[in-house]
Amino acid sequence: MLPLPEQFNENEWFIILTTVCGFILILLLPKRYPHVISILMVLFTVTIAIIMDHLIATPPLDLYDLNDLEKYEVTDIVTYLMYSPYALLCVYLFDKFDPKGKYITTYVVFWSLFALGFEWLAVFFNVFKFSGWTFLNSFAFYLLATSIYILFFRFIMDSLKSKKAKEV
């Protein structure tokens, strides 16, 4: 069983508050697509976070630590959900505004900078402790991750539209 935090301090509060506030924001938005799309996006975002965390935050690389302990604790699991509402907001607004051409690049850069700012806050609140990882590494990762989120979102939306077209 995963241990509870030794102390409940700023990093746990940051994780809980940003995750809860993010999901409340998402729930308040008008519905644009079926809930299954949102569920798939959350699962995809969490999967990317887990894979990335296990690739770079564990030996042999061990480029950063999460929260207070070097081993996993309960709040580390919640940390994987922390970025999900913001990834949902990213694809929601992408769907709403449907940027084209160079505006797609601008959109990806904007959301990557947003994620970088969010990560800076997480570092400030001791959620992440870098030991070899840099914000430049993060920015490169967010450019890739945001692009992948948008491509995945487009793929599942196109699949949904194709399925509906076949049913008609």
Side-chain angles (χ1 to χ4, degrees):
M1 185 147 159
L2 292 174
L4 294 172
E6 290 176 353
Q7 294 180 344
F8 202 85
N9 50 27
E10 73 271 359
N11 56 335
E12 286 85 11
W13 281 113
F14 179 83
I15 292 165
I16 291 168
L17 289 175
T18 58
T19 304
V20 168
C21 289
F23 278 110
I24 287 171
L25 172 66
I26 293 301
L27 290 173
L28 294 175
L29 292 173
K31 184 179 174 188
R32 290 196 60 82
Y33 38 78
H35 292 297
V36 69
I37 303 291
S38 296
I39 292 167
L40 286 171
M41 287 304 302
V42 168
L43 292 173
F44 188 68
T45 305
V46 168
T47 301
I48 296 293
I50 290 170
I51 290 169
M52 199 56 191
D53 190 48
H54 283 85
L55 283 175
I56 64 172
T58 58
L61 295 178
D62 201 17
L63 298 175
Y64 67 88
D65 289 322
L66 213 58
N67 294 316
D68 301 321
L69 302 175
E70 288 188 20
K71 58 185 177 181
Y72 278 102
E73 59 184 66
V74 171
T75 50
D76 293 351
I77 303 302
V78 181
T79 304
Y80 293 133
L81 282 170
M82 187 172 64
Y83 283 92
S84 294
Y86 306 101
L88 282 171
L89 183 60
C90 172
V91 296
Y92 180 92
L93 293 174
F94 186 86
D95 184 55
K96 181 177 174 113
F97 295 118
D98 193 24
K100 303 277 189 231
K102 65 183 177 185
Y103 295 109
I104 294 173
T105 303
T106 304
Y107 191 83
V108 169
V109 169
F110 170 80
W111 277 99
S112 298
L113 289 170
F114 175 85
L116 195 63
F118 187 78
E119 182 175 288
W120 181 86
L121 281 173
V123 168
F124 181 80
F125 285 103
N126 296 310
V127 174
F128 302 114
K129 293 166 193 78
F130 294 167
S131 58
W133 189 254
T134 67
F135 284 112
L136 186 58
N137 297 128
S138 293
F139 184 64
F141 169 74
Y142 292 132
L143 287 171
L144 178 63
T146 303
S147 300
I148 291 170
Y149 296 150
I150 290 169
L151 288 170
F152 181 69
F153 176 76
R154 281 181 150 177
F155 173 76
I156 56 178
M157 288 298 287
D158 288 348
S159 296
L160 182 68
K161 288 175 188 171
S162 174
K163 181 180 179 211
K164 284 184 179 181
K166 287 180 183 176
E167 291 175 356
V168 173

